[in-house]
Amino acid sequence: MAFLFSLFLLVVVLDTLEAPSTRTESTPVHSPLLEIPVVALETVDTLPRIQRLGTVEPIKQNEITAQVSGQIIAISKAFQRGQLLNNGQWLITVDPLPYQLAVSEAKTGLLNAEVELKKATIRNPDKGLIVKLAQSNLALSKVMLINAKKNLSNTKIRLPVDGEVVEIKANLGEYIEAGTSIASLLPSKGKTIVVPLSNQDLTRIKSLQINSKVAITNLERSTQWRATLVGVSQHSNNMQRRLFLKVAANQVNAPRYGQHLYAQLPIKGWAKTVSLPASALTLKGEVWWVNDQNRLSRTKLNDYLLIDDKVYFSASTSLASRAILYPFQSLVSGMPIKPLNHTQQ
């Protein structure tokens, strides 16, 4: 009986071992890789020019002053702010009556001096002291007449040079003293273009010599001028230095005072210069690279230039030949991705 019972247990155990297992093993689930647009690094053979904003400023603002005293009795219609006026343009008239009287008196004095000289010459044929005194009086009378005529002429105040009136300081009916400023003028030939540059810009710009030519355009880039470099500021203001450029006054549609312009400046590249779209650069100045195993790494660009929606830098700082086109904050170094190729335009 014991043998039969043992045989029965053995059959039950074998049957249990042969029965299919009812446990189900969980199949691992792999999440899909993140698809991210990438762009290939581009080698640069010809470097573009950096574009920096400049402003047309006056070299010096002229003050137009009265040379005689008197009441203003007339003002030209052209004497208005913002007017571009020619050299010699009449602006205001000071009451000329006192100066007309002075001219008449000087003429009378001159005639009297001539008569006195003739009398002295007749009375003193040896040309003694009296004759010399009469000659001196005659010379003085001539100078006084010249001065009186000059003062009379100065009662009409005119522009000394071509330029633009920017401030009017005298009005009809006012009494002004000699030496009083009646207007401020920006001379047409006294313009300079001031271009502020950072110290980093200066390290990137090719060496510019005085009198070298620089291309200048308006903000719309529809008009271009050739400017001459006339100075480079050695003084730094707010971490910036300045270039001073001059445009010849005879150029068509010469820039106006206060106008903003772009200076196109040549730059020095690197031993091997490469570029990416500007969108590949993060706000921290970093680039995310994709290696041959489609894993991410990043590097910070400490020396680069942003020009016309592209970032230019040295090839030695790149970690791979492809970069993330639109990086975002959740990227992690070593992260695998599925790159989507992007063709640069």
Side-chain angles (χ1 to χ4, degrees):
M1 291 294 294
F3 174 78
L4 292 177
F5 181 75
S6 298
L7 185 61
F8 174 77
L9 290 178
L10 179 61
V11 172
V12 172
V13 171
L14 292 176
D15 184 68
T16 303
L17 293 175
E18 290 179 1
S21 174
T22 58
R23 292 189 303 171
T24 59
E25 296 181 359
S26 59
T27 303
V29 178
H30 298 285
S31 58
L33 295 177
L34 191 64
E35 295 182 347
I36 302 179
V38 299
V39 64
L41 201 62
E42 188 176 70
T43 302
V44 178
D45 297 322
T46 303
L47 286 168
R49 294 173 179 263
I50 63 171
Q51 182 173 269
R52 292 297 180 263
L53 189 66
T55 307
V56 181
E57 298 181 3
I59 295 177
K60 182 181 179 181
Q61 183 169 294
N62 289 3
E63 294 297 320
I64 304 172
T65 57
Q67 302 302 308
V68 294
S69 301
Q71 185 180 24
I72 299 175
I73 62 171
I75 291 183
S76 169
K77 292 182 179 179
F79 188 31
Q80 297 181 21
R81 289 191 301 175
Q83 292 291 323
L84 291 172
L85 304 177
N86 296 326
N87 181 12
Q89 169 68 47
W90 165 63
L91 301 178
I92 68 172
T93 298
V94 175
D95 186 3
L97 182 58
Y99 303 98
Q100 290 170 345
L101 292 174
V103 170
S104 298
E105 291 175 356
K107 287 180 178 179
T108 302
L110 178 60
L111 290 174
N112 290 336
E114 290 174 345
V115 171
E116 291 299 324
L117 178 59
K118 288 181 179 179
K119 289 180 180 180
T121 303
I122 294 172
R123 294 171 183 173
N124 300 276
D126 58 349
K127 296 184 179 180
L129 183 60
I130 295 177
V131 173
K132 291 181 179 179
L133 180 60
Q135 289 174 338
S136 297
N137 287 334
L138 178 60
L140 178 60
S141 297
K142 289 180 179 179
V143 172
M144 292 181 67
L145 178 58
I146 292 173
N147 186 64
K149 288 181 176 179
K150 182 180 179 181
N151 286 338
L152 178 60
S153 174
N154 287 336
T155 58
K156 280 188 173 292
I157 301 179
R158 302 177 183 274
L159 277 186
V161 294
D162 296 344
E164 175 186 341
V165 176
V166 294
E167 186 176 3
I168 295 175
K169 303 177 182 180
N171 297 302
L172 185 65
E174 289 183 355
Y175 185 91
I176 57 175
E177 297 286 349
T180 301
S181 175
I182 67 159
S184 297
L185 178 76
L186 295 177
S188 297
K189 295 184 178 181
K191 299 174 182 176
T192 185
I193 300 170
V194 181
V195 183
L197 293 176
S198 67
N199 291 328
Q200 183 181 14
D201 285 339
L202 286 172
T203 61
R204 291 264 59 91
I205 294 176
K206 286 185 178 179
S207 178
L208 292 175
Q209 303 297 324
I210 299 300
N211 295 325
S212 59
K213 301 299 181 181
V214 177
I216 302 293
T217 65
N218 58 1
L219 298 186
E220 297 78 18
R221 302 184 188 179
S222 59
T223 306
Q224 180 170 314
W225 302 273
R226 297 294 291 176
T228 302
L229 181 67
V230 295
V232 180
S233 171
Q234 302 304 311
H235 171 69
S236 178
N237 184 18
N238 294 328
M239 301 300 291
Q240 288 186 329
R241 292 175 46 198
R242 294 176 293 174
L243 297 182
F244 297 94
L245 307 169
K246 185 177 181 180
V247 175
N250 58 359
Q251 294 196 48
V252 178
N253 298 324
R256 302 181 305 276
Y257 288 112
Q259 183 175 356
H260 296 297
L261 304 169
Y262 283 130
Q264 311 293 333
L265 303 171
I267 62 174
K268 296 182 293 187
W270 295 265
K272 183 179 180 182
T273 304
V274 291
S275 72
L276 288 170
S279 61
L281 191 68
T282 69
L283 295 177
K284 296 181 179 180
E286 297 175 337
V287 174
W288 283 91
W289 303 97
V290 182
N291 62 17
D292 294 338
Q293 288 76 41
N294 293 333
R295 290 185 177 274
L296 299 184
S297 58
R298 64 177 172 178
T299 184
K300 183 176 178 61
L301 302 183
N302 294 314
D303 188 16
Y304 62 90
L305 283 170
L306 283 170
I307 306 174
D308 293 335
D309 297 326
K310 282 192 174 184
V311 55
Y312 296 85
F313 54 97
S314 172
S316 62
T317 59
S318 60
L319 300 181
S321 61
R322 297 178 300 167
I324 298 297
L325 184 59
Y326 307 109
F328 43 89
Q329 294 182 353
S330 60
L331 297 179
V332 178
S333 294
M335 174 181 177
I337 66 161
K338 181 179 181 181
L340 297 177
N341 292 329
H342 177 83
T343 302
Q344 295 192 48
Q345 299 297 323

